[in-house]
C-alpha cells in the first residue's frame, strides 16, 4: 500500500511554509515511553499528569524530582529515530520549515533539527524554583531535589507543568508558525493537551492542509486533510523521500 498519497506530495511540493508539531509518539520508536504509556516499576502507581504539577512538587519535591531523574535516565540512552531524521530531511526540501515539539527529550535537536520550539521545555535543563533562572544541577545527585546555589530554593526541571503557562516566546512563535503555514503536520500526539492541541485547530482555521501521522485516531482526525495511519518512523521517511523525488515547481504558488 502506498504510504504517501500522491496529492499530499504535490501539496508539500507547492508549500512555501510547512509547520510540524510533534508529541511523544515520535520518540516511542527511540524507546522513550509516550506520556500516557503505562509507567513502570516504582512509578506505575502514579499518573504522569498528577506528578507534572506545581502542587505535586510543593507537596513532595523529592518524589517529583526523583520522577524526572528516572525519566532523564530513560532518555539518556535514547537515540533519534528515522522519524526525527526524516523531519531534518524534509526541512531541506521546503522553503520554510518550522518545528514545534511538546516533547522534553531533546531528540529533535540531537537528530539535527534547528530552531526547535520546545513548547513544554526540556528535561535536561534545571532551573531555580523561586527565581526561574537556569542552574547547572549538581552532578553528584546527592540532594533530591538539590538547592539553588544562589538563593537556596529547590531546583526543578525546566519543563512546563500542568497549570503553568507556556513560555511567551514559545507560545507566540508556535501560534505564528501555525497561522502562516500551508501544510501543518501533526505527528505522534493524542491532541489532548492544550494549548498545544489548539495549534492544529488554528492552522486548519487559517486554511492550511492538516496532515495527521499516528497509528491511532485523535480528536483532530475529523478535520485533517490526510490521516496517515502508522508509526512516524515509517511514514515520515516515506513522506520526505517522496518529496525529495518530486522536483519543486518553482512557479507553483503557495497557499
Ligand atoms: C496552561 C511537560 C494556562 C511536563 C507537559 C484549554 C486551554 C488551555 C489549557 C487547558 C485547556 N484545557 C485544559 C487545560 C489545562 C491543561 C491541559 O491541557 N490538560 C489536559 C490534561 C486536558 N493545560 C495546561 O495546564 C497547560 N498550561 O494551559 O496554562 C495558564 C495561562 C496563564 C497563566 C497560568 C496558567 C500546560 C500543559 C503542559 C503540560 N506539560 N509536558 C512533562 O513532560 O513532565 S504535557 C505532556 O503531555 C507532554 O509534553 C505532551 O505534550 C503531553 C502528552 O501528549 P502527547 O505528546 O500527545 O502524548 P500521549 O501519550 O498523550 O500520546 C502519544 C500519541 O502518540 C498517541 O496518540 C499515540 O497513538 C501516538 N503514537 C504512539 N506511537 C507512535 C505514535 N505516533 C506516531 N508514531 C509512533 N510510533
Amino acid at each position: 500500500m502506498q504510504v504517501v498519497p500522491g496529492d499530499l506530495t504535490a501539496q508539500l511540493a507547492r508549500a512555501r511554509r510547512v509547520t510540524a508539531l510533534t508529541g511523544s509518539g515520535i520518540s516511542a520508536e527511540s524507546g522513550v515511553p509516550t506520556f500516557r504509556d503505562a509507567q513502570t516499576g516504582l512509578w506505575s502507581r502514579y499518573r504522569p499528569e498528577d506528578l507534572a504539577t506545581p502542587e505535586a512538587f510543593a507537596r513532595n519535591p523529592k518524589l517529583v524530582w526523583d520522577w524526572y531523574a528516572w525519566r532523564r535516565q530513560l532518555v539518556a540512552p535514547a537515540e533519534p529515530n528515522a522519524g526525527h531524521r526524516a523531519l531534518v530531511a524534509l526541512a531541506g526540501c521546503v522553503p520554510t520549515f518550522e518545528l514545534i515539539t511538546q516533547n522534553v527529550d531533546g531528540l529533535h535537536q540531537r537528530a539535527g533539527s534547528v530552531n526547535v520550539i520546545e513548547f513544554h521545555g526540556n528535561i535536561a535543563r534545571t532551573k531555580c524554583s523561586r527565581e526561574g533562572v537556569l542552574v547547572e544541577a549538581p552532578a553528584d545527585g546527592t540532594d533530591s531535589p538539590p538547592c539553588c546555589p544562589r538563593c537556596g530554593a529547590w531546583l526543578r526541571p525546566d519543563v512546563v507543568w500542568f497549570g503553568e503557562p507556556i513560555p511567551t516566546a514559545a507560545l507566540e512563535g508556535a501560534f505564528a508558525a501555525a497561522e502562516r503555514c500551508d501544510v501543518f503536520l501533526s505527528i505522534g500526539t493524542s491532541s489532548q493537551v492544550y494549548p498545544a492541541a489548539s495549534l492544529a485547530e488554528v492552522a486548519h482555521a487559517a486554511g492550511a492542509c492538516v496532515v495527521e501521522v499516528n497509528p491511532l485516531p485523535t480528536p483532530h482526525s475529523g478535520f485533517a486533510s490526510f490521516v496517515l495511519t502508522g508509526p512516524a518512523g515509517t511514514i515520515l521517511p516515506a513522506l520526505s523521500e517522496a518529496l525529495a523525488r518530486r522536483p519543486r515547481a518553482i512557479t507553483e504558488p503557495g497557499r
Side-chain angles (χ1 to χ4, degrees):
M1 180 195 70
Q2 186 194 10
V3 170
V4 182
D7 46 353
L8 170 54
T9 311
Q11 286 259 28
L12 284 166
R14 277 200 304 274
R16 295 206 177 290
R17 291 178 174 277
V18 174
T19 293
L21 169 71
T22 63
S24 55
I26 196 171
S27 296
E29 291 159 270
S30 296
V32 179
T34 69
F35 198 76
R36 285 179 179 71
D37 269 344
Q39 298 212 106
T40 57
L42 165 68
W43 303 107
S44 55
R45 76 185 81 157
Y46 298 99
R47 290 187 335 140
E49 45 270 42
D50 295 335
L51 292 172
T53 70
E55 294 77 15
F57 185 69
R59 193 169 48 246
N60 193 334
K62 173 172 172 39
L63 178 76
V64 174
W65 178 266
D66 288 350
W67 179 53
Y68 281 93
W70 173 69
R71 287 176 64 192
R72 269 192 289 276
Q73 289 187 349
L74 285 181
V75 167
E79 290 295 329
N81 62 58
H84 296 102
R85 291 192 296 272
L87 290 183
V88 179
L90 198 147
C93 295
V94 296
T96 300
F97 180 81
E98 296 181 272
L99 176 56
I100 308 151
T101 188
Q102 301 174 85
N103 301 337
V104 296
D105 57 32
L107 287 178
H108 283 299
Q109 293 92 321
R110 287 178 50 199
S113 289
V114 294
N115 304 322
V116 179
I117 297 178
E118 292 184 314
F119 208 67
H120 292 152
N122 188 312
I123 201 171
R125 294 193 299 265
T126 300
K127 67 181 180 182
C128 171
S129 61
R130 178 182 298 148
E131 303 163 299
V133 294
L134 291 180
V135 176
E136 193 67 36
D140 60 8
T142 47
D143 294 332
S144 176
C147 294
C148 173
R150 300 152 47 109
C151 74
W154 299 124
L155 296 184
R156 55 162 284 182
D158 183 30
V159 297
V160 180
W161 281 332
F162 288 98
E164 293 187 322
I166 308 303
T168 306
L171 188 74
E172 291 174 354
F175 276 88
E179 283 157 3
R180 63 189 170 208
C181 67
D182 302 308
V183 177
F184 185 92
L185 305 174
S186 177
I187 303 160
T189 179
S190 62
S191 301
Q192 293 176 44
V193 173
Y194 283 83
S198 308
L199 294 166
E201 297 159 8
V202 161
H204 176 65
C209 164
V210 175
V211 182
E212 186 172 78
V213 177
N214 198 314
L216 297 174
T218 80
H220 291 167
S221 305
F223 67 69
S225 307
F226 296 93
V227 175
L228 307 181
T229 302
T234 303
I235 289 175
L236 293 179
L239 205 60
S240 67
E241 284 151 23
L243 182 58
R245 282 196 301 272
R246 196 182 188 286
R248 273 193 76 78
I250 48 175
T251 55
E252 286 189 61
R255 168 164 63 87

